[in-house]
């Protein structure tokens, strides 16, 4: 059998396509649900989904008095920094690489190192020293790389923005232009445009304190969230991402500028209410959820502006009394929004899968609690040594966005990254103050044969029996079996 030609052996536009070969020019296509862990690099021998924290574990055969834990932590930190430096050194060969698949593999390895190995002050300093090389490689990928390569570059820039921390205006200025160019349509791949918008928003949120920069980007997000942008139909997934980014940047805006209203100025959130209501009426679960988060944030800001009705001195102050949209021009619109949100929290029917209905109900019950019942949300982040509770939509929106960015490296970054600890008001010393458990203690408290597991299993069995008896109650006349 005749051997296939090179162009026939490798599909055009695929992850292995080379942008330097005119026969292998990449197509502008990438699935909307593409993630940075989807691509498989055949030329670089590493597993991108490998959890570095597992290899950092030191076996403890005796009782742990804290010494072994401290020694293990020091050894794990040194190993992580070594992996970080090794991954960043791969960027030195960037200019000599000709195959897009190898360039993408290098970026994916850097992303994994940034999120899971760049911990503590030493890791941040290492990334800071390599920032110029990092920017140069990512900008090259954004300008002429394949879609998967561009996507990886956006994710790397987003993760690096979290690590570098505040007061990094030069960093933001160095990447903003190329990211905006991708967002505005330099590529047709929706997933790449979504990743670029997220990266640009994360950089504006963390690296710069300039309110004009954030508000200008909020204008872009609001424009993209519409059905059409620059005379082109905007994909639904990109619209949802635009609302997520708008919500993140809106967490940096004062309550009055978000939900306030006077004779001169109208809050940015109030100007968006009609669009958010229209998004709730679509069939996209992703777009509905993004709109629900924005509405919850706006309503929370409205509540924070509230004053008691009896203390209001004029009609302008009275319209801001706690928990009320009465007296404003948005009263009817918000009533319709509340009805929509309540309906979505109880939606049923065969037009949705059971899993999708369950997910939507759970999500919109949280929105109903805030928008309809004026209750504060609650999100608990569990750690090996305790937990961190969040009680505002500002913090929860920031949490969801950062967690999406860091993926599996979120917990270790929150334990070691001073910027994230400042954002969520966490005490770094308290989060890391955990001496660990010995192997015997783990077997007694965490294993499936432990006493706690046995008690939990007995309780679950009793509850299951009770539910079954309730279902069969109609079969008995007296109900004594209950």
């Amino acid at each position: 059998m005749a051997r296939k030609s090179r162009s026939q052996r490798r599909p055009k536009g695929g992850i292995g396509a080379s942008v330097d070969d005119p026969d292998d020019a990449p197509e502008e296509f990438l699935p909307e649900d593409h993630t940075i862990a989807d691509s498989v690099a055949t030329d670089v021998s590493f597993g991108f989904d490998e959890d570095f924290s597992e290899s950092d574990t030191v076996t403890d055969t005796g009782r742990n008095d804290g010494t072994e834990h401290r020694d293990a932590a020091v050894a794990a930190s040194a190993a992580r920094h070594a992996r970080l430096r090794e991954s960043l050194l791969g960027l030195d060969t960037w200019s000599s690489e000709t195959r897009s698949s190898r360039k993408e593999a290098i970026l994916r390895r850097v992303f994994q190192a940034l999120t899971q190995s760049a911990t503590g002050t030493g890791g941040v300093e290492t990334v800071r020293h390599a920032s110029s090389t990092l920017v140069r490689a990512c900008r090259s990928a954004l300008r002429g790389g394949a879609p998967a390569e561009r996507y990886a570059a956006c994710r790397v820039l987003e993760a690096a923005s979290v690590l570098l921390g505040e007061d990094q205006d030069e960093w933001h200025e160095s990447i903003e232009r190329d990211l905006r160019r991708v967002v505005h349509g330099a590529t047709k791949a929706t997933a790449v445009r979504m990743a670029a918008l997220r990266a640009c928003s994360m950089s504006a949120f963390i690296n710069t304190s300039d309110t004009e920069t954030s508000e200008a980007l909020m204008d872009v997000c609001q424009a993209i969230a519409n059905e059409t942008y620059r005379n082109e139909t905007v994909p639904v997934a990109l619209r949802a991402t635009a609302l997520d980014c708008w919500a993140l940047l809106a967490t940096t805006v004062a309550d009055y500028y978000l939900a306030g209203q006077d004779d001169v100025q109208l809050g940015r959130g109030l100007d968006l209410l009609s669009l958010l209501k229209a998004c709730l009426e679509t069939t996209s679960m992703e777009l509905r959820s993004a709109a629900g988060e924005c509405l919850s944030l706006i309503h929370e800001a409205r509540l924070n502006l509230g004053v008691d009705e009896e203390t209001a001195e004029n009609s302008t102050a009275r319209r801001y009394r706690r928990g009320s949209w009465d007296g404003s021009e948005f009263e009817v619109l918000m009533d319709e929004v509340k009805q929509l949100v309540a309906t979505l929290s109880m939606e049923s029917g065969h037009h949705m899968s059971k899993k999708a209905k369950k997910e939507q109900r759970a999500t919109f019950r949280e929105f109903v609690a805030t928008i309809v019942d004026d209750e504060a949300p609650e999100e608990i982040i569990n750690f090996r040594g305790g937990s961190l509770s969040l009680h505002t939509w500002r913090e929860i929106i920031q949490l969801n966005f950062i967690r999406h960015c860091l993926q599996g490296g979120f917990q270790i970054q929150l334990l070691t990254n001073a910027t994230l600890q400042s954002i969520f008001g966490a005490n770094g010393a308290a989060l890391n103050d955990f001496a660990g458990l010995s192997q015997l203690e783990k077997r007694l408290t965490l294993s499936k044969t432990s006493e706690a597991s046995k008690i939990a299993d007995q309780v679950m069995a009793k509850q299951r029996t009770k539910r079954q008896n309730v279902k069969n109650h109609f079969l008995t006349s007296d109900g004594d079996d209950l």
Side-chain angles (χ1 to χ4, degrees), residues 384-396:
R384 57 187 179 185
S387 61
L388 179 65
S389 299
L390 307 178
H391 297 282
T392 66
W393 278 105
R394 287 179 180 269
E395 294 176 320
I396 292 176

Side-chain angles (χ1 to χ4, degrees), residues 122-292:
V124 173
E125 289 300 322
T126 301
V127 175
R128 190 163 295 169
H129 288 315
S131 60
S132 59
T133 305
L134 191 65
V135 169
R136 186 163 54 251
C138 290
R139 291 177 65 181
S140 175
L142 291 175
R143 291 175 180 178
E149 184 184 340
R150 292 181 175 184
Y151 179 88
C154 293
R155 297 305 303 274
V156 167
L157 293 175
E158 184 181 6
S161 298
V162 177
L163 292 172
L164 293 176
E166 302 173 345
D167 300 327
Q168 297 293 326
D169 296 283
E170 294 182 359
W171 166 267
H172 179 73
E173 293 173 0
S174 65
I175 65 176
E176 181 183 22
R177 182 176 180 181
D178 290 287
L179 289 174
R180 284 209 182 193
R181 179 174 171 270
V182 174
V183 171
H184 291 320
T187 175
K188 296 180 182 178
T190 303
V192 179
R193 298 177 66 185
M194 293 163 56
L197 186 56
R198 280 185 168 273
C200 194
S201 300
M202 180 66 78
S203 179
F205 169 65
I206 290 184
N207 303 136
T208 179
S209 58
D210 185 7
T211 57
E212 293 184 0
T213 301
S214 297
E215 292 189 5
L217 190 54
M218 288 178 70
D219 293 335
V220 174
C221 294
Q222 183 172 344
I224 296 177
N226 289 278
E227 294 184 1
T228 59
Y229 178 65
R230 294 190 172 186
N231 299 324
E232 293 184 359
T233 302
V234 183
V236 174
L238 182 58
R239 294 179 63 192
T241 299
L243 290 180
D244 288 337
C245 294
W246 185 93
L248 175 71
L249 297 171
T251 60
T252 64
V253 178
D255 290 331
Y256 182 80
Y257 293 107
L258 184 62
Q261 179 184 3
D262 55 26
D263 297 335
V264 178
Q265 189 174 11
L266 184 68
R268 298 189 64 98
L270 304 183
D271 188 43
L272 199 65
L273 289 179
S274 299
L275 174 60
L276 296 177
K277 176 179 176 292
C279 292
L280 290 178
E281 297 171 341
T282 63
T283 58
S284 171
M285 174 60 189
E286 192 176 13
L287 189 56
R288 286 174 173 178
S289 299

